[in-house]
Amino acid sequence: MESLAQYVVLAVVAICFAVGYIIKNSLDIIPNKYIPLIMGCMGVFLNVWMQGWVFTPETLLGGLASGLASTGAFELQKQLSGIETKDVHENDTG
């Protein structure tokens, strides 16, 4: 886990965190299960953009780690604050 920490880009984490928060709380058409996938892809795109459109394995890993770290940061923030956000469940019968 510590070896992945060297690849995390805080700017990408912050941007993905904000976009993920908006998706989760404002866009009911996107199920929650797709948010980590969206954040991973967005993290890769942002990291490649920040590196001057140079695509290397390190850029890919940094983008994925940063995008997915934003999802983990959101869950950590939710757990620490004790505030539940609305959940969108498909086929929820009960």
Side-chain angles (χ1 to χ4, degrees):
M1 191 66 167
E2 293 171 7
S3 61
L4 280 178
Q6 68 183 349
Y7 292 105
V8 173
V9 180
L10 290 179
V12 175
V13 173
I15 293 168
C16 288
F17 182 90
V19 171
Y21 183 85
I22 291 168
I23 290 172
K24 182 162 181 76
N25 292 297
S26 300
L27 300 175
D28 293 338
I29 61 172
I30 300 175
N32 289 339
K33 67 180 182 178
Y34 295 120
I35 294 175
L37 174 65
I38 295 168
M39 295 304 98
C41 293
M42 177 178 274
V44 170
F45 175 79
L46 289 170
N47 203 30
V48 168
W49 174 65
M50 290 176 67
Q51 299 298 322
W53 300 109
V54 176
F55 190 80
T56 63
E58 290 81 15
T59 306
L60 174 65
L61 182 59
L64 284 173
S66 300
L68 295 175
S70 71
T71 305
F74 177 80
E75 290 299 320
L76 178 65
Q77 176 265 331
K78 187 172 77 170
Q79 294 293 322
L80 292 176
S81 68
I83 298 172
E84 286 293 321
T85 58
K86 66 179 180 175
D87 287 328
V88 179
H89 297 287
E90 292 183 25
N91 301 326
D92 190 11
T93 58

